[in-house]
Short mmCIF file of all heavy atoms in Angstrom, two decimals:
data_model
loop_
_atom_site.label_atom_id
_atom_site.label_comp_id
_atom_site.label_asym_id
_atom_site.label_seq_id
_atom_site.Cartn_x
_atom_site.Cartn_y
_atom_site.Cartn_z
N GLU A 1 -7.94 -11.52 -8.64
CA GLU A 1 -8.68 -10.40 -8.06
C GLU A 1 -10.17 -10.71 -7.84
O GLU A 1 -10.75 -10.31 -6.86
CB GLU A 1 -8.59 -9.14 -8.97
CG GLU A 1 -7.21 -8.68 -9.30
CD GLU A 1 -6.86 -9.06 -10.70
OE1 GLU A 1 -7.08 -10.22 -11.09
OE2 GLU A 1 -6.32 -8.20 -11.45
N TYR A 2 -10.74 -11.44 -8.81
CA TYR A 2 -12.18 -11.71 -8.71
C TYR A 2 -12.48 -12.70 -7.60
O TYR A 2 -13.42 -12.55 -6.81
CB TYR A 2 -12.75 -12.17 -10.04
CG TYR A 2 -14.07 -11.53 -10.37
CD1 TYR A 2 -14.10 -10.20 -10.85
CD2 TYR A 2 -15.26 -12.15 -10.15
CE1 TYR A 2 -15.30 -9.58 -11.14
CE2 TYR A 2 -16.47 -11.53 -10.42
CZ TYR A 2 -16.48 -10.28 -10.90
OH TYR A 2 -17.69 -9.64 -11.15
N ALA A 3 -11.69 -13.78 -7.53
CA ALA A 3 -11.89 -14.79 -6.49
C ALA A 3 -11.76 -14.16 -5.11
O ALA A 3 -12.59 -14.41 -4.22
CB ALA A 3 -10.92 -15.92 -6.68
N VAL A 4 -10.75 -13.33 -4.92
CA VAL A 4 -10.53 -12.70 -3.60
C VAL A 4 -11.62 -11.68 -3.34
O VAL A 4 -12.16 -11.60 -2.22
CB VAL A 4 -9.13 -12.03 -3.59
CG1 VAL A 4 -8.98 -11.19 -2.30
CG2 VAL A 4 -8.05 -13.09 -3.62
N GLY A 5 -12.00 -10.90 -4.36
CA GLY A 5 -13.04 -9.90 -4.18
C GLY A 5 -14.37 -10.51 -3.82
O GLY A 5 -15.11 -10.04 -2.95
N LEU A 6 -14.74 -11.62 -4.48
CA LEU A 6 -15.97 -12.31 -4.19
C LEU A 6 -15.92 -12.95 -2.79
O LEU A 6 -16.92 -12.96 -2.07
CB LEU A 6 -16.26 -13.39 -5.22
CG LEU A 6 -16.67 -12.87 -6.63
CD1 LEU A 6 -16.70 -14.04 -7.61
CD2 LEU A 6 -18.00 -12.20 -6.60
N ALA A 7 -14.74 -13.47 -2.41
CA ALA A 7 -14.61 -14.06 -1.08
C ALA A 7 -14.86 -13.04 0.03
O ALA A 7 -15.44 -13.35 1.05
CB ALA A 7 -13.21 -14.69 -0.94
N ARG A 8 -14.40 -11.83 -0.22
CA ARG A 8 -14.64 -10.74 0.76
C ARG A 8 -16.12 -10.44 0.86
O ARG A 8 -16.66 -10.24 1.95
CB ARG A 8 -13.88 -9.46 0.33
CG ARG A 8 -12.39 -9.52 0.40
CD ARG A 8 -11.83 -8.13 0.26
NE ARG A 8 -10.39 -8.11 0.01
CZ ARG A 8 -9.84 -7.86 -1.15
NH1 ARG A 8 -10.59 -7.61 -2.21
NH2 ARG A 8 -8.51 -7.84 -1.28
N ARG A 9 -16.78 -10.35 -0.29
CA ARG A 9 -18.16 -9.92 -0.33
C ARG A 9 -19.11 -11.02 0.16
O ARG A 9 -20.17 -10.71 0.78
CB ARG A 9 -18.56 -9.47 -1.75
CG ARG A 9 -20.02 -9.07 -1.86
CD ARG A 9 -20.31 -8.45 -3.19
NE ARG A 9 -21.74 -8.20 -3.34
CZ ARG A 9 -22.38 -7.13 -2.88
NH1 ARG A 9 -21.72 -6.23 -2.21
NH2 ARG A 9 -23.67 -6.98 -3.07
N TYR A 10 -18.79 -12.26 -0.11
CA TYR A 10 -19.70 -13.36 0.19
C TYR A 10 -19.01 -14.38 1.14
O TYR A 10 -18.54 -15.44 0.73
CB TYR A 10 -20.10 -14.11 -1.08
CG TYR A 10 -20.86 -13.21 -2.04
CD1 TYR A 10 -20.24 -12.71 -3.18
CD2 TYR A 10 -22.22 -12.92 -1.81
CE1 TYR A 10 -20.94 -11.88 -4.05
CE2 TYR A 10 -22.91 -12.11 -2.71
CZ TYR A 10 -22.27 -11.59 -3.82
OH TYR A 10 -22.98 -10.80 -4.67
N PRO A 11 -18.92 -14.08 2.43
CA PRO A 11 -18.34 -14.98 3.41
C PRO A 11 -19.05 -16.31 3.58
O PRO A 11 -18.52 -17.25 4.14
CB PRO A 11 -18.30 -14.18 4.70
CG PRO A 11 -19.44 -13.21 4.55
CD PRO A 11 -19.47 -12.84 3.09
N ASP A 12 -20.28 -16.35 3.06
CA ASP A 12 -21.09 -17.59 3.18
C ASP A 12 -20.96 -18.46 1.94
O ASP A 12 -21.72 -19.38 1.72
CB ASP A 12 -22.55 -17.27 3.41
CG ASP A 12 -23.14 -16.39 2.33
OD1 ASP A 12 -22.37 -15.80 1.53
OD2 ASP A 12 -24.39 -16.31 2.21
N ARG A 13 -19.92 -18.22 1.12
CA ARG A 13 -19.59 -19.07 -0.01
C ARG A 13 -18.11 -19.36 -0.01
O ARG A 13 -17.30 -18.61 0.51
CB ARG A 13 -19.98 -18.40 -1.36
CG ARG A 13 -21.44 -18.25 -1.55
CD ARG A 13 -21.72 -17.81 -3.00
NE ARG A 13 -23.07 -17.35 -3.13
CZ ARG A 13 -23.47 -16.13 -2.84
NH1 ARG A 13 -22.61 -15.22 -2.44
NH2 ARG A 13 -24.75 -15.78 -2.96
N ASN A 14 -17.72 -20.42 -0.66
CA ASN A 14 -16.33 -20.81 -0.84
C ASN A 14 -15.92 -20.56 -2.27
O ASN A 14 -16.65 -20.96 -3.18
CB ASN A 14 -16.13 -22.28 -0.47
CG ASN A 14 -16.59 -22.60 0.94
OD1 ASN A 14 -16.28 -21.88 1.92
ND2 ASN A 14 -17.31 -23.68 1.10
N PHE A 15 -14.71 -19.99 -2.48
CA PHE A 15 -14.23 -19.65 -3.81
C PHE A 15 -12.91 -20.32 -4.10
O PHE A 15 -12.04 -20.36 -3.23
CB PHE A 15 -14.15 -18.15 -3.96
CG PHE A 15 -15.47 -17.43 -3.83
CD1 PHE A 15 -15.89 -17.01 -2.59
CD2 PHE A 15 -16.28 -17.24 -4.92
CE1 PHE A 15 -17.13 -16.37 -2.43
CE2 PHE A 15 -17.52 -16.64 -4.80
CZ PHE A 15 -17.92 -16.19 -3.54
N ILE A 16 -12.76 -20.80 -5.34
CA ILE A 16 -11.49 -21.40 -5.76
C ILE A 16 -11.10 -20.79 -7.06
O ILE A 16 -11.83 -20.92 -8.07
CB ILE A 16 -11.63 -22.94 -5.89
CG1 ILE A 16 -12.12 -23.57 -4.56
CG2 ILE A 16 -10.29 -23.55 -6.31
CD1 ILE A 16 -12.38 -25.04 -4.66
N GLY A 17 -9.95 -20.12 -7.10
CA GLY A 17 -9.42 -19.58 -8.33
C GLY A 17 -8.54 -20.60 -9.02
O GLY A 17 -7.68 -21.22 -8.38
N VAL A 18 -8.74 -20.80 -10.33
CA VAL A 18 -8.01 -21.83 -11.06
C VAL A 18 -7.28 -21.19 -12.24
O VAL A 18 -7.85 -20.42 -13.01
CB VAL A 18 -8.98 -22.91 -11.61
CG1 VAL A 18 -8.21 -24.01 -12.30
CG2 VAL A 18 -9.82 -23.50 -10.46
N ASP A 19 -5.99 -21.50 -12.34
CA ASP A 19 -5.17 -21.02 -13.48
C ASP A 19 -3.92 -21.84 -13.54
O ASP A 19 -3.57 -22.47 -12.54
CB ASP A 19 -4.87 -19.51 -13.32
CG ASP A 19 -4.66 -18.81 -14.64
OD1 ASP A 19 -3.82 -19.26 -15.45
OD2 ASP A 19 -5.35 -17.79 -14.90
N ILE A 20 -3.24 -21.81 -14.69
CA ILE A 20 -1.97 -22.52 -14.80
C ILE A 20 -0.79 -21.59 -14.55
O ILE A 20 0.32 -22.02 -14.31
CB ILE A 20 -1.86 -23.21 -16.18
CG1 ILE A 20 -0.66 -24.19 -16.19
CG2 ILE A 20 -1.74 -22.17 -17.29
CD1 ILE A 20 -0.73 -25.30 -15.21
N LYS A 21 -1.04 -20.28 -14.60
CA LYS A 21 0.02 -19.30 -14.42
C LYS A 21 0.24 -19.00 -12.96
O LYS A 21 -0.43 -18.14 -12.36
CB LYS A 21 -0.32 -18.01 -15.18
CG LYS A 21 -0.54 -18.19 -16.67
CD LYS A 21 0.76 -18.51 -17.40
CE LYS A 21 0.53 -18.52 -18.92
NZ LYS A 21 1.79 -18.82 -19.65
N GLY A 22 1.19 -19.67 -12.36
CA GLY A 22 1.42 -19.54 -10.92
C GLY A 22 1.93 -18.16 -10.52
O GLY A 22 1.57 -17.67 -9.46
N ALA A 23 2.77 -17.56 -11.33
CA ALA A 23 3.36 -16.25 -10.98
C ALA A 23 2.25 -15.19 -10.91
O ALA A 23 2.35 -14.27 -10.07
CB ALA A 23 4.43 -15.85 -12.00
N ARG A 24 1.26 -15.30 -11.73
CA ARG A 24 0.13 -14.33 -11.67
C ARG A 24 -0.75 -14.66 -10.46
O ARG A 24 -1.15 -13.76 -9.70
CB ARG A 24 -0.71 -14.43 -12.95
CG ARG A 24 -0.04 -13.97 -14.21
CD ARG A 24 -1.02 -14.10 -15.37
NE ARG A 24 -0.38 -13.83 -16.66
CZ ARG A 24 -0.97 -13.99 -17.83
NH1 ARG A 24 -2.22 -14.43 -17.88
NH2 ARG A 24 -0.34 -13.70 -18.97
N MET A 25 -1.05 -15.91 -10.25
CA MET A 25 -1.91 -16.33 -9.17
C MET A 25 -1.34 -15.94 -7.80
O MET A 25 -2.06 -15.74 -6.83
CB MET A 25 -2.08 -17.85 -9.23
CG MET A 25 -3.04 -18.45 -8.23
SD MET A 25 -3.04 -20.26 -8.31
CE MET A 25 -3.84 -20.51 -9.92
N TRP A 26 -0.04 -15.81 -7.71
CA TRP A 26 0.64 -15.46 -6.48
C TRP A 26 0.07 -14.19 -5.86
O TRP A 26 -0.07 -14.12 -4.63
CB TRP A 26 2.13 -15.26 -6.74
CG TRP A 26 2.94 -14.76 -5.56
CD1 TRP A 26 3.53 -15.50 -4.60
CD2 TRP A 26 3.23 -13.36 -5.26
NE1 TRP A 26 4.18 -14.68 -3.70
CE2 TRP A 26 3.99 -13.38 -4.08
CE3 TRP A 26 2.92 -12.16 -5.86
CZ2 TRP A 26 4.47 -12.19 -3.49
CZ3 TRP A 26 3.39 -11.00 -5.27
CH2 TRP A 26 4.13 -11.01 -4.12
N SER A 27 -0.31 -13.19 -6.65
CA SER A 27 -0.84 -11.96 -6.16
C SER A 27 -2.10 -12.15 -5.32
O SER A 27 -2.20 -11.71 -4.16
CB SER A 27 -1.13 -10.98 -7.33
OG SER A 27 0.05 -10.67 -8.03
N GLY A 28 -3.09 -12.84 -5.91
CA GLY A 28 -4.34 -13.08 -5.17
C GLY A 28 -4.13 -14.00 -3.98
O GLY A 28 -4.71 -13.79 -2.92
N ALA A 29 -3.30 -15.03 -4.17
CA ALA A 29 -3.07 -15.99 -3.11
C ALA A 29 -2.40 -15.31 -1.91
O ALA A 29 -2.75 -15.58 -0.76
CB ALA A 29 -2.22 -17.12 -3.62
N THR A 30 -1.46 -14.45 -2.19
CA THR A 30 -0.76 -13.72 -1.11
C THR A 30 -1.67 -12.73 -0.42
O THR A 30 -1.68 -12.65 0.81
CB THR A 30 0.45 -12.97 -1.72
OG1 THR A 30 1.34 -13.88 -2.31
CG2 THR A 30 1.18 -12.19 -0.62
N GLU A 31 -2.51 -12.06 -1.19
CA GLU A 31 -3.48 -11.13 -0.61
C GLU A 31 -4.46 -11.84 0.30
O GLU A 31 -4.76 -11.38 1.40
CB GLU A 31 -4.21 -10.40 -1.75
CG GLU A 31 -5.02 -9.22 -1.29
CD GLU A 31 -5.60 -8.42 -2.47
OE1 GLU A 31 -5.25 -8.73 -3.62
OE2 GLU A 31 -6.36 -7.46 -2.23
N ALA A 32 -4.99 -12.97 -0.16
CA ALA A 32 -5.92 -13.75 0.66
C ALA A 32 -5.28 -14.24 1.95
O ALA A 32 -5.91 -14.23 3.03
CB ALA A 32 -6.45 -14.95 -0.14
N LEU A 33 -4.00 -14.63 1.86
CA LEU A 33 -3.31 -15.12 3.05
C LEU A 33 -3.10 -14.00 4.06
O LEU A 33 -3.33 -14.18 5.26
CB LEU A 33 -1.96 -15.73 2.65
CG LEU A 33 -1.16 -16.41 3.73
CD1 LEU A 33 -1.90 -17.63 4.24
CD2 LEU A 33 0.22 -16.80 3.24
N LYS A 34 -2.69 -12.82 3.59
CA LYS A 34 -2.45 -11.69 4.47
C LYS A 34 -3.74 -11.24 5.18
O LYS A 34 -3.71 -10.78 6.31
CB LYS A 34 -1.84 -10.55 3.67
CG LYS A 34 -0.39 -10.79 3.27
CD LYS A 34 0.17 -9.61 2.49
CE LYS A 34 1.64 -9.82 2.12
NZ LYS A 34 2.21 -8.70 1.31
N GLU A 35 -4.86 -11.34 4.42
CA GLU A 35 -6.14 -10.90 4.99
C GLU A 35 -6.80 -11.98 5.86
O GLU A 35 -7.79 -11.71 6.52
CB GLU A 35 -7.10 -10.50 3.89
CG GLU A 35 -6.68 -9.25 3.13
CD GLU A 35 -7.73 -8.77 2.15
OE1 GLU A 35 -8.91 -9.11 2.36
OE2 GLU A 35 -7.36 -8.12 1.16
N GLY A 36 -6.24 -13.18 5.84
CA GLY A 36 -6.81 -14.25 6.62
C GLY A 36 -8.14 -14.77 6.10
O GLY A 36 -8.97 -15.25 6.89
N LEU A 37 -8.35 -14.67 4.80
CA LEU A 37 -9.61 -15.17 4.21
C LEU A 37 -9.58 -16.70 4.20
O LEU A 37 -8.70 -17.34 3.61
CB LEU A 37 -9.74 -14.66 2.77
CG LEU A 37 -9.92 -13.13 2.60
CD1 LEU A 37 -9.89 -12.73 1.13
CD2 LEU A 37 -11.18 -12.67 3.27
N THR A 38 -10.54 -17.29 4.86
CA THR A 38 -10.59 -18.75 4.95
C THR A 38 -11.56 -19.38 3.92
O THR A 38 -11.70 -20.61 3.92
CB THR A 38 -11.01 -19.17 6.38
OG1 THR A 38 -12.32 -18.63 6.65
CG2 THR A 38 -10.00 -18.71 7.38
N ASN A 39 -12.24 -18.58 3.13
CA ASN A 39 -13.20 -19.08 2.17
C ASN A 39 -12.72 -18.97 0.74
O ASN A 39 -13.50 -18.92 -0.20
CB ASN A 39 -14.53 -18.39 2.33
CG ASN A 39 -14.50 -16.90 2.01
OD1 ASN A 39 -13.46 -16.26 2.22
ND2 ASN A 39 -15.59 -16.36 1.47
N VAL A 40 -11.40 -18.91 0.56
CA VAL A 40 -10.86 -18.84 -0.80
C VAL A 40 -9.60 -19.72 -0.87
O VAL A 40 -8.79 -19.77 0.03
CB VAL A 40 -10.54 -17.41 -1.22
CG1 VAL A 40 -9.53 -16.77 -0.30
CG2 VAL A 40 -10.08 -17.33 -2.66
N ALA A 41 -9.50 -20.47 -1.99
CA ALA A 41 -8.33 -21.32 -2.26
C ALA A 41 -7.94 -21.10 -3.72
O ALA A 41 -8.66 -20.50 -4.50
CB ALA A 41 -8.68 -22.77 -2.01
N PHE A 42 -6.76 -21.61 -4.06
CA PHE A 42 -6.28 -21.51 -5.43
C PHE A 42 -5.77 -22.87 -5.90
O PHE A 42 -5.11 -23.58 -5.16
CB PHE A 42 -5.17 -20.46 -5.54
CG PHE A 42 -5.69 -19.05 -5.37
CD1 PHE A 42 -5.75 -18.51 -4.10
CD2 PHE A 42 -6.11 -18.32 -6.45
CE1 PHE A 42 -6.25 -17.20 -3.93
CE2 PHE A 42 -6.60 -17.04 -6.29
CZ PHE A 42 -6.68 -16.46 -5.02
N LEU A 43 -6.09 -23.16 -7.16
CA LEU A 43 -5.68 -24.45 -7.77
C LEU A 43 -4.92 -24.15 -9.03
O LEU A 43 -5.47 -23.61 -9.99
CB LEU A 43 -6.92 -25.30 -8.07
CG LEU A 43 -6.72 -26.60 -8.85
CD1 LEU A 43 -5.83 -27.56 -8.06
CD2 LEU A 43 -8.10 -27.25 -9.14
N ARG A 44 -3.63 -24.50 -9.04
CA ARG A 44 -2.83 -24.28 -10.26
C ARG A 44 -2.80 -25.55 -11.09
O ARG A 44 -2.20 -26.54 -10.71
CB ARG A 44 -1.41 -23.87 -9.90
CG ARG A 44 -0.62 -23.42 -11.16
CD ARG A 44 0.74 -22.83 -10.79
NE ARG A 44 1.71 -23.88 -10.54
CZ ARG A 44 2.43 -24.50 -11.48
NH1 ARG A 44 2.27 -24.21 -12.75
NH2 ARG A 44 3.32 -25.43 -11.14
N THR A 45 -3.55 -25.50 -12.18
CA THR A 45 -3.65 -26.67 -13.06
C THR A 45 -4.14 -26.22 -14.43
O THR A 45 -4.51 -25.06 -14.63
CB THR A 45 -4.55 -27.75 -12.47
OG1 THR A 45 -4.38 -28.97 -13.22
CG2 THR A 45 -6.04 -27.35 -12.56
#
């Protein structure tokens, strides 16, 4: 939620959300994809 929320607010920055829990990360990653946000990525590690 925070990575996606910050990406919306700050289009002049790039955001990467990092976590090992892929099932949780899916929510933000799916939301970012549907909204077409190009300044946010996710790293599962």
